[in-house]
Amino acid sequence: LKAEDTFLVSLCAVLRDPVSLENCCKDGRERGQDNQDCTGLPLISASTTCRIVQEQCCASAIEDAGCTKGINMAKDLGACESLFSGSTCETKTSKMCCDCCLLGKAAQTLGQPCDLSLSVSYQCGLVSRACCVDGAPEQEFNGTQGSTQGPNCVHKCESSGTCSCFKGYKLKPDGKSCEDINECLLGGHDCQPGERCINTVGSFRCQREVSCGTGYELTDSNVCKDIDECELGTHNCHTGFECINTRGSFRCKPKTQCGDGYIQDAQGNCIDINECLSMTGPCQPGQICINTVGSFNCQRNSVNCGRGYHLSEDGTRCVDIDECKGPDGACAGHGCINLVGSFRCECRSGYIFNSLTRVCEDINECRHYPGRLCAHKCDNVLGSYKCSCTMGFKLASDGRNCDDVNECESSPCSQECANVYGSYQCYCRRGYQLSDVDGTTCEDIDECALPTGGHICSYRCHNTPGSFHCTCPASGYTLAPNGRSCQDVDECVTGTHTCSETQSCFNIQGGFKCLSFECPDNYRRSGETRARVDRSDTIRCVKSCQPNDISCVLDPVHSISHTFISMPTYREFTKPEEIIFLRTMSPAHSSSQLGSSNIVFDILEGNIQSSFDIVKRYEHDMIVGVVRQVKRLIGPQDIVLKLAMNYVTNGVVSHRNIVNVHIFVSEFWF
């Protein structure tokens, strides 16, 4: 048979608000000092007691502030009526304290005792006495005054003519005024152990320092009172249980009782009791206990030992196996402790025992403590860990941090090296550039091969290690002071030409020409003409007919001129270049017989591949034939461009001047 069991829920700790009453009061006073509504404060705890403390401390703070305001008005202005009008509680408190302070000041002025015999409220009496002795509202008067108060003493005047103070005060250095004694600071209190001394004006009070503990709350009288969780509804008893309050706690009593072989759980359900486990020896020796719903059965034992046991020598019982015995033991070199039916390993540092696999497993410190063991990289090893550093760093002496490696000390760069944190940077001197292949080798910059290399030198660029230099053609040019441009040598000026005395030296780009011209028959040289050729040296022949030479007279060609120009082979040719200007007076301004003629310019010969054209332009009273180069010419080549300046009258050329332009194109371009 089984005894009837009653399942009681015993709580080890009752749910209790963690907020102390001191904090509740502190919150209420702070909100009162901010003039908040004390009846609608935000609650900092679910406790009803904390809410009450909040509201009362809030109201007290507002009341203290209003009373202090009234006292200050009475002391400073000596009147209250005009300053406090209204019917709010704060206004009434301020006016009451102001009026009562005036009563105390009047008693002091009239030399009357500060203890009023009037039936005023307790707070009014305190304020009146405080203002009478020029003290604070909480000053204590130890009985009635024992001597007459002199006109110069704040509290009491002794028969010896000296001043003294009430209990809780001490005389100030002026011998008249009194100040509060801090009994808590000076040790003049009688608070018991576990209580905290709080100084007040003229006295002190003791407040319990240690909380009352779970299931109790501190009352206003500094007494611990049991909390009735059942009444407050703060218990956790389920529907099938009845809450019964106890001192400092409560218990849940099941409303219904379970039968034999059952026990009630926390939800009030009846669950089966496994008597085979809960009872000691329910069956006879040699029998095995088999649990059933609400009871158990005993059967003859067929010994079958579980893990960690083996059959005894007599075959009647199972005995523990000592797994720690043997050369290696069960813990593979770690400490082994045998337990009944099992064993436990005492693992070495860096290992942890796995209760499922029952072996000591390595602790991966790098994974368990990421970023806390090593400055850079953490590598787990059996029983420990090892720190390593990334490229550019080396392991510090503490084995955890990493120091920067100054790679420049090993001269990794072909020229200049700058160490940076965790790496290094190679850079090159002027005229060299860093190789894209290895980033350390400095390669010569071929300035001549750069996109702008063709413009570095006017003729030819020669690369040198780390630099370059310019050269000019072997003859006819010299290098300019800037070291890049080529200047033409004027052989005609320097006298280095080879022309004979009968020839004229004409300087061209990179050389010279020896010129010799004779006028054809019926023409003679002349320096006077109406047509002029600019930008060149000119040899001019004018018609000079023999007497009676009718064919010569009728020939319209009036003059034949030779002019010479030199030009380079242009590297780029993007727009027409004006090279020759043929100027003559406008026929309208001419007084000759050509005045009514129209002037037409034409290219007769030598216009190779239509490289030239001629346009007519008017400039003031002049007509100008402008010869333009319209295509790029590549030298060396000599071109004779035969031009005609025609005077056309009634559709017939009546007068013509021939201009032969000798163009010498240099083979070099700049």
Side-chain angles (χ1 to χ4, degrees):
L1 296 178
K2 303 181 199 176
E4 181 179 358
D5 296 320
T6 303
F7 180 77
L8 300 178
V9 176
S10 177
L11 295 177
C12 295
V14 178
L15 294 176
R16 175 157 166 78
D17 197 318
V19 181
S20 65
L21 295 181
E22 288 80 1
N23 290 336
C24 296
C25 184
K26 180 181 177 182
D27 179 82
R29 290 197 65 85
E30 290 176 352
R31 297 183 185 278
Q33 291 167 0
D34 292 339
N35 290 323
Q36 296 187 23
D37 184 6
C38 297
T39 61
L41 295 178
L43 301 181
I44 64 173
S45 169
S47 171
T48 304
T49 304
C50 182
R51 176 185 61 77
I52 296 173
V53 171
Q54 271 185 281
E55 292 181 359
Q56 294 304 315
C57 290
C58 173
S60 176
I62 294 177
E63 185 176 352
D64 290 347
C67 188
T68 302
K69 181 179 179 182
I71 292 173
N72 292 337
M73 286 297 178
K75 290 181 178 181
D76 296 339
L77 302 178
C80 306
E81 289 77 6
S82 61
L83 297 174
F84 301 103
S85 60
S87 59
T88 63
C89 293
E90 292 79 10
T91 302
K92 291 180 179 179
T93 300
S94 298
K95 190 172 187 309
M96 182 273 292
C97 290
C98 181
D99 290 339
C100 294
C101 183
L102 290 179
L103 287 175
K105 291 175 65 68
Q108 183 186 38
T109 303
L110 298 174
Q112 296 178 357
C114 290
D115 285 325
L116 295 177
S117 58
L118 304 176
S119 298
V120 296
S121 66
Y122 178 73
Q123 185 178 13
C124 181
L126 288 178
V127 172
S128 174
R129 281 180 287 172
C131 291
C132 178
V133 297
D134 196 22
E138 290 186 16
Q139 292 176 345
E140 287 187 11
F141 298 91
N142 189 15
T144 59
Q145 293 176 217
S147 61
T148 305
Q149 186 174 5
N152 294 324
C153 296
V154 175
H155 280 195
K156 296 187 295 182
C157 180
E158 302 296 339
S159 58
S160 60
T162 60
C163 296
S164 62
C165 299
F166 298 121
K167 182 180 180 181
Y169 296 87
K170 64 180 178 180
L171 204 62
K172 287 186 177 181
D174 61 5
K176 301 177 182 179
S177 303
C178 297
E179 62 181 354
D180 173 58
I181 296 174
N182 191 333
E183 294 85 358
C184 300
L185 183 63
L186 299 177
H189 62 87
D190 55 357
C191 295
Q192 300 300 318
E195 294 180 335
R196 179 163 57 95
C197 176
I198 299 176
N199 186 61
T200 60
V201 179
S203 185
F204 65 92
R205 62 186 176 89
C206 300
Q207 181 172 305
R208 184 182 180 90
E209 189 173 40
V210 181
S211 63
C212 292
T214 304
Y216 293 90
E217 63 180 354
L218 189 66
T219 64
D220 293 339
S221 58
N222 209 26
V223 176
C224 289
K225 176 185 176 183
D226 172 59
I227 297 174
D228 190 343
E229 295 84 357
C230 300
E231 180 181 352
L232 296 176
T234 58
H235 61 86
N236 61 351
C237 297
H238 293 282
T239 306
F241 291 84
E242 177 185 1
C243 177
I244 299 176
N245 186 60
T246 62
R247 292 187 62 80
S249 184
F250 65 94
R251 62 187 180 90
C252 299
K253 180 180 180 181
K255 294 181 180 179
T256 59
Q257 300 296 322
C258 296
D260 295 340
Y262 294 90
I263 191 172
Q264 211 156 21
D265 63 8
Q267 285 75 33
N269 301 317
C270 293
I271 58 175
D272 174 59
I273 297 174
N274 190 340
E275 294 84 358
C276 299
L277 297 178
S278 62
M279 298 176 63
T280 302
C283 297
Q284 298 297 324
Q287 293 182 333
I288 184 173
C289 177
I290 300 175
N291 185 63
T292 61
V293 178
S295 183
F296 66 95
N297 294 324
C298 294
Q299 294 182 357
R300 182 176 295 276
N301 183 22
S302 57
V303 179
N304 184 15
C305 298
R307 182 179 179 181
Y309 295 88
H310 65 83
L311 198 62
S312 63
E313 293 181 357
D314 58 6
T316 61
R317 58 192 178 90
C318 294
V319 295
D320 173 58
I321 298 174
D322 190 351
E323 295 86 354
C324 297
K325 287 184 178 180
D328 296 330
C331 295
H334 297 269
C336 181
I337 299 176
N338 186 59
L339 302 174
V340 177
S342 182
F343 67 95
R344 178 168 55 86
C345 295
E346 289 289 342
C347 302
R348 297 192 301 269
S349 176
Y351 294 86
I352 188 171
F353 183 66
N354 189 326
S355 59
L356 297 178
T357 61
R358 311 191 71 74
V359 295
C360 289
E361 296 179 346
D362 172 57
I363 298 174
N364 191 335
E365 295 86 355
C366 301
R367 186 174 60 204
H368 287 179
Y369 311 104
R372 294 166 57 185
L373 301 177
C374 301
H376 283 191
K377 295 190 296 183
C378 179
D379 301 309
N380 185 61
V381 296
L382 286 177
S384 185
Y385 64 94
K386 181 175 62 176
C387 296
S388 60
C389 300
T390 56
M391 182 177 294
F393 295 88
K394 62 182 178 181
L395 201 62
S397 58
D398 60 4
R400 299 179 62 182
N401 294 302
C402 294
D403 296 333
D404 174 55
V405 175
N406 188 352
E407 296 85 354
C408 295
E409 293 178 350
S410 60
S411 302
C413 305
S414 63
Q415 288 188 1
E416 305 295 335
C417 177
N419 185 61
V420 296
Y421 189 69
S423 184
Y424 66 96
Q425 179 65 50
C426 296
Y427 62 96
C428 303
R429 292 186 286 271
R430 183 176 181 181
Y432 294 86
Q433 63 183 0
L434 207 59
S435 171
D436 294 333
V437 178
D438 56 13
T440 60
T441 305
C442 289
E443 300 174 342
D444 172 57
I445 297 175
D446 188 352
E447 294 84 356
C448 302
L450 294 174
T452 58
H455 302 289
I456 293 178
C457 299
S458 63
Y459 175 63
R460 189 164 294 163
C461 177
H462 299 274
N463 186 59
T464 60
S467 186
F468 68 95
H469 71 272
C470 301
T471 60
C472 296
S475 62
Y477 294 91
T478 182
L479 195 63
N482 62 12
R484 297 189 178 189
S485 303
C486 291
Q487 294 178 337
D488 174 57
V489 176
D490 192 341
E491 294 86 355
C492 300
V493 173
T494 60
T496 57
H497 62 86
T498 59
C499 298
S500 64
E501 294 182 357
T502 61
Q503 294 176 320
S504 299
C505 178
F506 180 73
N507 184 65
I508 64 173
Q509 293 284 333
F512 62 92
K513 292 288 184 179
C514 296
L515 306 177
S516 178
F517 289 95
E518 297 293 335
C519 293
D521 294 339
N522 295 325
Y523 289 88
R524 61 177 176 79
R525 286 197 178 192
S526 174
E528 297 179 359
T529 179
R530 280 170 27 192
R532 296 177 302 180
V533 179
D534 295 342
R535 292 181 55 197
S536 60
D537 296 332
T538 303
I539 298 174
R540 191 154 186 218
C541 299
V542 296
K543 187 165 66 171
S544 177
C545 296
Q546 299 296 324
N548 301 321
D549 189 346
I550 301 303
S551 61
C552 176
V553 173
L554 295 178
D555 187 355
V557 178
H558 180 71
S559 66
I560 300 174
S561 301
H562 295 272
T563 186
F564 316 97
I565 63 173
S566 175
M567 64 174 59
T569 297
Y570 290 105
R571 189 184 299 272
E572 295 179 357
F573 191 87
T574 57
K575 62 180 181 179
E577 182 75 16
E578 297 177 350
I579 59 174
I580 295 294
F581 298 89
L582 305 177
R583 289 186 174 88
T584 185
M585 292 292 293
S586 173
H589 295 82
S590 176
S591 59
S592 66
Q593 60 182 354
L594 302 176
S596 60
S597 300
N598 180 29
I599 298 177
V600 178
F601 298 97
D602 193 13
I603 300 176
L604 302 179
E605 298 176 4
N607 193 4
I608 301 173
Q609 296 180 352
S610 300
S611 300
F612 302 92
D613 68 0
I614 186 168
V615 295
K616 185 163 62 173
R617 184 184 299 166
Y618 295 93
E619 294 181 358
H620 304 295
D621 57 349
M622 303 291 291
I623 296 177
V624 182
V626 181
V627 180
R628 303 184 305 171
Q629 178 187 350
V630 295
K631 290 184 179 179
R632 182 171 180 257
L633 296 174
I634 301 176
Q637 62 174 315
D638 297 342
I639 301 172
V640 179
L641 199 62
K642 188 174 182 179
L643 309 178
M645 186 186 304
N646 301 310
Y647 294 83
V648 181
T649 305
N650 298 323
V652 179
V653 177
S654 60
H655 190 92
R656 173 179 289 178
N657 292 331
I658 300 298
V659 179
N660 295 300
V661 180
H662 298 262
I663 303 173
F664 305 105
V665 182
S666 171
E667 67 174 309
F668 306 114
W669 57 78
F670 306 103

